[in-house]
Amino acid sequence: MYKIAICDDDKNYREKIEKVIETEGILPKSEIRFYEYESGKELLKNADILHDLVFMDMRMPGLDGNKSVLKLREYNRAAILVFCSGYFEPTSDSINIGQPFRYIMKDLHDRSLKREIPAILSKVKLQCGDSSVTVTSAGRVIRIYTEDILYICLAKRGCSIYVARQGEIDEMHCKESLGDLYERLAGRGFEYAHNSYIVNLAKVEGLEKNVALLQMGIQLNVSRSRKGQFADALIMFLGERNGMV
């Protein structure tokens, strides 16, 4: 199910967005669920829904679009964000932290909306399938893109997920077990290098003796008991990615 939030105090514009999305036909109507909000405050009350796509009006009473976006990203970093406004008025923070995918200018005949919707929906379809995993961290349910994960290791009362974002490594603790996450990520390029951690094979740059060389300069020991399995999985993964298998 694709969860699409439309946060705009103009009911007519919310309905226009829904109609254009349904008319485009990129996402099956039966797999779309719309959530309408008249304000940023209403949207944030339902942040635990983890919307896949969020249309955000920049001018609303109370909590405006710029402030709403900053708070939204504390809960949902993975949502595809689209700004909507009759004026170009995002702040530097709403761009850098909010990271919008598109900016739709409201116009009389909705030309901008109709022009941008195909690219927006294609992005949603591409990223909201098997491209993420949902975990519980600090009492919040958070979706993490698998392409950002470097590796996941055991930690006290759960796991630590190491994520690469904007050239930096972030550590995120979650309550899920390593075995549980391995099962959820089955078939998506993750393999045990050690009983204590699983590695995103897409991030492996080399395997030297008993050390896996990952992006960002990370080096992880590969245990003897896991080395054969890990090497086979890496070769298979690279072959499939390069069209050799």
Side-chain angles (χ1 to χ4, degrees):
M1 185 65 69
Y2 298 99
K3 294 174 286 187
I4 301 176
I6 306 173
C7 187
D8 196 304
D9 59 340
D10 184 343
K11 180 175 177 58
N12 290 330
Y13 196 72
R14 296 199 303 268
E15 292 176 349
K16 285 181 181 179
I17 292 176
E18 293 182 16
K19 184 177 180 180
V20 173
I21 289 175
E22 291 178 338
T23 301
E24 194 60 40
I26 292 176
L27 303 180
K29 290 184 180 181
S30 60
E31 296 182 20
I32 300 174
R33 182 170 181 181
F34 291 107
Y35 299 81
E36 293 189 22
Y37 304 102
E38 293 185 350
S39 67
K41 186 176 181 180
E42 282 188 12
L43 170 66
L44 294 172
K45 284 182 179 179
N46 294 275
D48 60 338
I49 292 177
L50 292 180
H51 306 96
D52 300 304
L53 172 61
V54 177
F55 289 88
M56 179 70 71
D57 184 18
M58 301 308 293
R59 287 193 172 186
M60 293 180 291
L63 202 63
D64 67 11
N66 285 312
K67 294 177 182 177
S68 299
V69 164
L70 301 185
K71 292 184 177 294
L72 173 67
R73 284 308 191 205
E74 296 178 9
Y75 296 86
N76 190 345
R77 296 184 182 182
I80 295 168
L81 178 64
V82 177
F83 287 159
C84 302
S85 183
Y87 305 89
F88 189 80
E89 53 185 350
T91 65
S92 58
D93 280 344
S94 66
I95 291 293
N96 295 331
I97 299 176
Q99 296 182 329
F101 178 65
R102 286 290 191 275
Y103 196 110
I104 292 177
M105 297 299 294
K106 294 182 178 180
D107 54 67
L108 183 61
H109 300 291
D110 304 313
R111 294 187 183 91
S112 179
L113 175 63
K114 294 174 182 177
R115 182 178 64 250
E116 299 294 348
I117 281 295
I120 293 169
L121 298 184
S122 294
K123 179 76 169 178
V124 172
K125 191 172 184 178
L126 178 65
Q127 292 195 1
C128 297
D130 289 338
S131 63
S132 63
V133 61
T134 301
V135 299
T136 305
S137 177
R140 298 176 180 174
V141 178
I142 298 174
R143 189 197 297 107
I144 304 173
Y145 284 138
T146 54
E147 66 180 18
D148 293 335
I149 299 174
L150 293 165
Y151 68 100
I152 305 171
C153 71
L154 285 174
K156 188 175 181 180
R157 296 179 182 175
C159 288
S160 289
I161 303 175
Y162 291 86
V163 178
R165 292 195 182 101
Q166 298 180 345
E168 297 184 354
I169 300 174
D170 292 335
E171 179 184 357
M172 181 179 300
H173 185 271
C174 68
K175 73 174 187 179
E176 285 75 14
S177 70
L178 188 63
D180 179 26
L181 291 179
Y182 181 69
E183 289 182 4
R184 294 193 201 179
L185 294 166
R188 290 194 263 173
F190 284 78
E191 189 53 69
Y192 277 99
H194 189 282
N195 289 340
S196 298
Y197 43 82
I198 57 177
V199 172
N200 184 352
L201 298 176
K203 304 298 184 181
V204 178
E205 296 184 333
L207 182 58
E208 296 181 1
K209 294 183 179 181
N210 295 323
V211 178
L213 308 177
L214 277 60
Q215 295 175 9
M216 312 288 288
I218 295 174
Q219 297 185 15
L220 297 175
N221 289 328
V222 180
S223 67
R224 289 184 179 180
S225 63
R226 294 286 186 178
K227 185 176 180 180
Q229 176 183 333
F230 184 78
D232 289 345
L234 180 60
I235 291 171
M236 179 65 71
F237 175 82
L238 295 175
E240 291 177 347
R241 189 172 64 177
N242 296 327
M244 298 172 63
V245 177

